[in-house]
Amino acid sequence: MVAKTRYKEPSKNTGFHLIKIGLTQEKEPLYQKIDARVKAMMEAGLVEEVEKLYPYQASNALQTIGYRELFNYLNKQHSLREAAAQIKHNTKQYAKKQMTWFKKIRRSFGLHPMILSK
């Protein structure tokens, strides 16, 4: 069961003026970056890292995207190719949830990352 949380506006008596900023990006370029990042992580030794952590696979801290799918690979539930595809898929779903959550926050605005690099 997934617990749902609601964003609460800060108390009006704080004396602070809050500005909520998020980075926005179109889905396709974001998904391409996710694919490239997962590939780079795999090439940089993610599988070997997860192999070292295998004895601790039941730890809550290791029930995250990337570790979970590779533990399934090490447990012979998936091929390495399937595990990498699942990491990409689950990361994209997580990014989509984040974008949806951010859209629900009132009085906020987003910046495209390319604006920040100028």
Side-chain angles (χ1 to χ4, degrees):
M1 180 176 178
V2 177
K4 291 188 177 184
T5 59
R6 291 189 182 267
Y7 176 79
K8 286 187 172 183
E9 288 293 325
S11 169
K12 303 297 182 206
N13 300 325
T14 63
F16 294 103
H17 179 71
L18 299 176
I19 299 173
K20 301 168 195 162
I21 300 172
L23 299 179
T24 61
Q25 189 167 24
E26 294 78 25
K27 283 183 187 179
E28 195 53 40
L30 175 62
Y31 289 175
Q32 290 172 359
K33 287 181 182 181
I34 289 170
D35 290 343
R37 179 70 181 133
V38 171
K39 181 181 179 190
M41 289 168 49
M42 297 294 280
E43 290 171 355
L46 182 60
V47 174
E48 292 78 11
E49 178 182 333
V50 174
E51 286 172 339
K52 291 176 185 174
L53 295 169
Y54 187 80
Y56 311 103
Q57 68 179 309
S59 169
N60 282 340
L62 298 176
Q63 301 307 308
T64 57
I65 298 171
Y67 289 120
R68 187 175 52 230
E69 294 82 1
L70 289 176
F71 285 135
N72 288 339
Y73 159 69
L74 294 174
N75 288 322
K76 311 273 189 245
Q77 295 174 351
H78 301 292
S79 69
L80 185 56
R81 177 182 232 142
E82 290 169 329
Q86 278 293 304
I87 293 170
K88 292 174 185 179
H89 174 76
N90 292 341
T91 303
K92 290 171 187 176
Q93 282 192 321
Y94 187 68
K96 185 176 176 183
K97 285 179 186 179
Q98 288 178 320
M99 289 186 283
T100 300
W101 178 84
F102 188 72
K103 286 178 186 177
K104 291 180 182 180
I105 296 176
R106 296 178 294 164
R107 294 190 302 254
S108 63
F109 64 95
L111 295 175
H112 193 282
M114 297 309 292
I115 293 170
L116 299 175
S117 66
K118 293 182 181 178

